[in-house]
Amino acid sequence: MNPIIRFSNVTKRFGALTVLRDFDFEVKQGEKVTLIGPSGSGKSTVLRILMTLEPFQEGTLTLAGMPYHEPDGHGPFKAREKHLRQIRSHVGMVFQSFNLFPHMTVLRNVIEAPVRVLGLSRNEAECRAVDLLNMVGLADKKDHYPSQLSGGQQQRVAIARALAMRPRVLLFDEPTSALDPQLVGEVLGVIRSLAHEHDLTMLLVTHEMRFAREVSDRVCFFDKGQIVEQGEPERIFSSPEQPRTREFLASVLG
Amino acid sequence: MMYGFAWDTSTPLAYAISILPILGIGLIVTLEATVCGFAIAMGVGLVFALLRRAKSRLITWPVGLIVEFLRDTPLLIQLFFLFYVLPQFGIVLPAFLTGALALGLQYSAYTSEVYRAGLEAIGRGQWEAATALNLTRAQTYRDVVIPQAIPRIVPALGNYLVSMLKDTPVLSVITVVDMLNLANLIGDRTFEYLVPLSLVGLIFLILTLGCSALIHVIERVLPKRGIALR
Ligand SMILES: Nc1ncnc2c1ncn2[C@@H]1O[C@H](COP(=O)(O)OP(=O)(O)OP(=O)(O)O)[C@@H](O)[C@H]1O
Ligand SMILES: [Mg+2]
């Protein structure tokens, strides 16, 4: 089976700083992959490129076979908005800082895009939203505003909001890093339940090593814009081969 | 006698009452100038603000220069410029329109800053969330950015509305017949300036107080639940 995500020779620069150099990376459909690595190594950048929030300068990236830039004469790395929107329709993202729309109720946050973008009727969108809010355990908060919720609750709403668009690939960028320690568990619980969804491809950046070990099919250790070592979580965590991986794990696991 | 109304200078009160209808005609001009000027300021200011957010410096720099120029030169000079210089280039506008345009353009520099601050208060995270949900740019402005920006910009716009109202008497220097101009004309004829000028001052006071009250009401009823206004 073809991978749903394929980076080949992707180079990403911010001005003079090269964050990814000749980056190769593949993810199979339904696979749950965790990226770990030191701060500044480019983990977020990988997710942000996938979400079309960042352009890249060289190489090719495909999602379900669709290249991010159009193959016709539009210049290799300039993609038209229409094309990017087509790619985006398969990808969702959960941010470290939740980024809920503060002026909308929880329900409105979840139905906004399905109504506007997918063209669902309000009724249908609400039914689905309530189902999703049930799944994250927040159906009773549907008429609250984000500011009335705890961080953990906001992040669960953000997950429901992303799922409402029925993405094939869901990206999580440190979804629990902004949370008080006692709220981390409830968010991880929701992500854990998603990990059982067979078809959903998940790409997760996290510092929660125990959680990564538990939910991932594959863990990738990232350093300086490169995957230094990857493999099944058991192997990476119990017997890392690369010295840099060992060093990193020693520093985070204490 | 003016506009068919005669004045009665027997007592200050009678004088004031007799010239009130005349000043009322000027009041309408004052209000019209404020409304037109402010409509221009809100529209042009928004265009400036959006252009200054453009990606290309070929757009942002000239627009920034124009805004600085409009903001940092006196209204009176802009007014004279439009009134005396434009006709030399064959553009002849009625005095009222020239006045409203000058007010509107100067204030568009202020309103563009208000819009800009309002738009910038909406963080990058909101835009990114909207992108991740595949909303279009237009949908993002309409449903995410503008509803959050409005409660932030209305108070500042309200202040400029009051301020513009107080600037309208400047238009009398280019022959617009507003309240101040009429008060002067009445004084020229009766040799009694105190009452007409005081009356104009009083009317302005009432107008600005009313305007401020109205803005407070608007601020109150604006939907702003959930939005952290500092
Ligand atoms: N918009 C930007 N402009 C310039 N440099 C950037 C930008 N975004 C990221 N960088 C740089 O790119 C590098 C990789 O950043 P990235 O956010 O992907 O790291 P990360 O692995 O997610 O780190 P962290 O664990 O701290 O989130 C960093 O050196 C960062 O400073
Ligand atoms: Mg990061």
Side-chain angles (χ1 to χ4, degrees):
Chain A
M1 196 169 68
N2 279 332
I4 188 159
I5 297 169
R6 172 182 267 157
F7 284 80
S8 49
N9 290 314
V10 169
T11 294
K12 163 71 187 170
R13 296 187 204 93
F14 289 109
L17 176 74
T18 303
V19 178
L20 301 177
R21 177 175 287 129
D22 291 334
F23 181 65
D24 291 314
F25 181 51
E26 293 184 356
V27 180
K28 292 201 289 277
Q29 169 148 10
E31 207 181 358
K32 320 292 187 252
V33 178
T34 303
L35 303 182
I36 60 172
S39 182
S41 56
K43 308 177 298 293
S44 296
T45 302
V46 169
L47 299 197
R48 292 171 57 79
I49 287 174
L50 277 167
M51 193 64 256
T52 72
L53 297 174
E54 292 286 351
F56 54 94
Q57 282 77 36
E58 280 163 44
T60 43
L61 170 60
T62 58
L63 187 107
M66 253 187 305
Y68 270 53
H69 50 81
E70 288 183 300
D72 67 3
H74 276 275
F77 304 107
K78 289 264 190 303
R80 273 195 270 139
E81 184 64 14
K82 190 169 151 237
H83 178 71
L84 290 179
R85 294 197 69 219
Q86 202 182 339
I87 289 171
R88 271 179 221 140
S89 69
H90 299 291
V91 188
M93 184 155 177
V94 174
F95 300 87
Q96 180 175 344
S97 49
F98 331 134
N99 297 347
L100 292 178
F101 303 132
H103 59 300
M104 298 181 187
T105 61
V106 164
L107 186 69
R108 180 82 204 285
N109 261 283
V110 180
I111 67 170
E112 170 73 14
V115 169
R116 302 281 186 223
V117 179
L118 304 181
L120 295 191
S121 73
R122 219 189 149 86
N123 257 337
E124 196 183 350
E126 283 189 8
C127 280
R128 282 176 44 180
V130 170
D131 283 347
L132 287 166
L133 288 173
N134 257 318
M135 194 201 82
V136 301
L138 289 172
D140 56 326
K141 301 278 191 223
K142 70 183 170 67
D143 296 320
H144 285 54
Y145 284 83
S147 56
Q148 299 169 308
L149 305 182
S150 73
Q153 291 171 330
Q154 290 188 48
Q155 191 62 298
R156 281 142 69 198
V157 172
I159 294 172
R161 179 175 72 170
L163 287 171
M165 293 302 282
R166 305 224 158 138
R168 295 174 69 182
V169 175
L170 192 49
L171 312 169
F172 294 87
D173 193 2
E174 302 195 28
T176 58
S177 292
L179 298 177
D180 291 337
Q182 74 272 18
L183 300 177
V184 168
E186 62 189 57
V187 173
L188 293 184
V190 168
I191 300 173
R192 185 179 292 119
S193 68
L194 286 179
H196 299 306
E197 299 264 335
H198 186 72
D199 284 333
L200 183 67
T201 307
M202 275 174 37
L203 205 51
L204 173 76
V205 174
T206 186
H207 294 297
E208 301 285 334
M209 295 301 153
R210 273 186 36 212
F211 182 72
R213 183 171 190 158
E214 180 194 337
V215 301
S216 334
D217 301 315
R218 173 158 56 115
V219 172
C220 304
F221 172 64
F222 223 80
D223 194 19
K224 302 198 177 78
Q226 238 135 38
I227 293 176
V228 174
E229 183 168 1
Q230 55 179 317
E232 289 189 357
E234 290 310 315
R235 191 190 67 67
I236 296 287
F237 285 111
S238 55
S239 52
E241 284 162 8
Q242 300 292 326
R244 269 146 76 191
T245 316
R246 255 178 262 150
E247 232 172 86
F248 174 75
L249 287 176
S251 72
V252 294
L253 296 175
Chain B
M1 185 90 163
M2 202 180 275
Y3 295 120
F5 298 101
W7 40 72
D8 168 6
T9 50
S10 54
T11 66
L13 185 65
Y15 184 27
I17 292 172
S18 66
I19 61 174
L20 211 48
I22 303 171
L23 292 181
I25 291 164
L27 171 63
I28 293 171
V29 173
T30 295
L31 292 177
E32 281 172 349
T34 309
V35 169
C36 289
F38 204 65
I40 293 170
M42 293 214 299
V44 175
L46 184 60
V47 172
F48 284 157
L50 292 177
L51 287 177
R52 288 185 89 171
R53 287 168 70 86
K55 291 207 178 77
S56 162
R57 283 192 197 158
L58 282 176
I59 299 173
T60 56
W61 281 28
V63 173
L65 214 66
I66 293 171
V67 170
E68 279 312 312
F69 175 80
L70 288 173
R71 188 173 50 191
D72 296 333
T73 53
L75 177 59
L76 203 52
I77 293 180
Q78 293 175 19
L79 197 59
F80 281 157
F81 192 86
L82 290 180
F83 193 65
Y84 294 113
V85 180
L86 279 191
Q88 294 186 356
F89 295 94
I91 304 169
V92 183
L93 296 174
F96 174 83
L97 217 56
T98 309
L101 195 63
L103 280 173
L105 285 180
Q106 171 145 79
Y107 276 84
S108 69
Y110 302 135
T111 59
S112 80
E113 284 303 306
V114 173
Y115 290 125
R116 195 158 76 129
L119 292 175
E120 273 170 12
I122 315 303
R124 204 174 63 153
Q126 293 286 299
W127 281 96
E128 292 184 347
T131 303
L133 291 168
N134 218 353
L135 295 173
T136 63
R137 241 181 121 70
Q139 286 168 336
T140 305
Y141 267 113
R142 193 190 60 196
D143 297 339
V144 177
V145 175
I146 291 174
Q148 291 186 68
I150 282 177
R152 291 186 166 92
I153 64 179
V154 163
L157 286 183
N159 288 340
Y160 283 127
L161 176 64
V162 171
S163 165
M164 180 186 279
L165 178 65
K166 289 190 295 179
D167 272 350
T168 53
V170 172
L171 303 198
S172 61
V173 302
I174 56 161
T175 74
V176 173
V177 189
D178 75 324
M179 274 196 295
L180 180 65
N181 208 339
L182 283 173
N184 273 327
L185 291 175
I186 293 169
D188 290 345
R189 304 260 204 100
T190 60
F191 305 107
E192 211 313 29
Y193 288 92
L194 177 69
V195 170
L197 287 180
S198 308
L199 207 52
V200 169
L202 186 67
I203 294 173
F204 266 109
L205 183 66
I206 295 169
L207 283 180
T208 50
L209 287 178
C211 220
S212 303
L214 184 72
I215 291 156
H216 276 295
V217 171
I218 293 174
E219 278 176 44
R220 271 260 192 84
V221 301
L222 271 181
K224 54 175 171 293
R225 285 200 66 185
I227 303 170
L229 297 168
R230 227 181 326 271

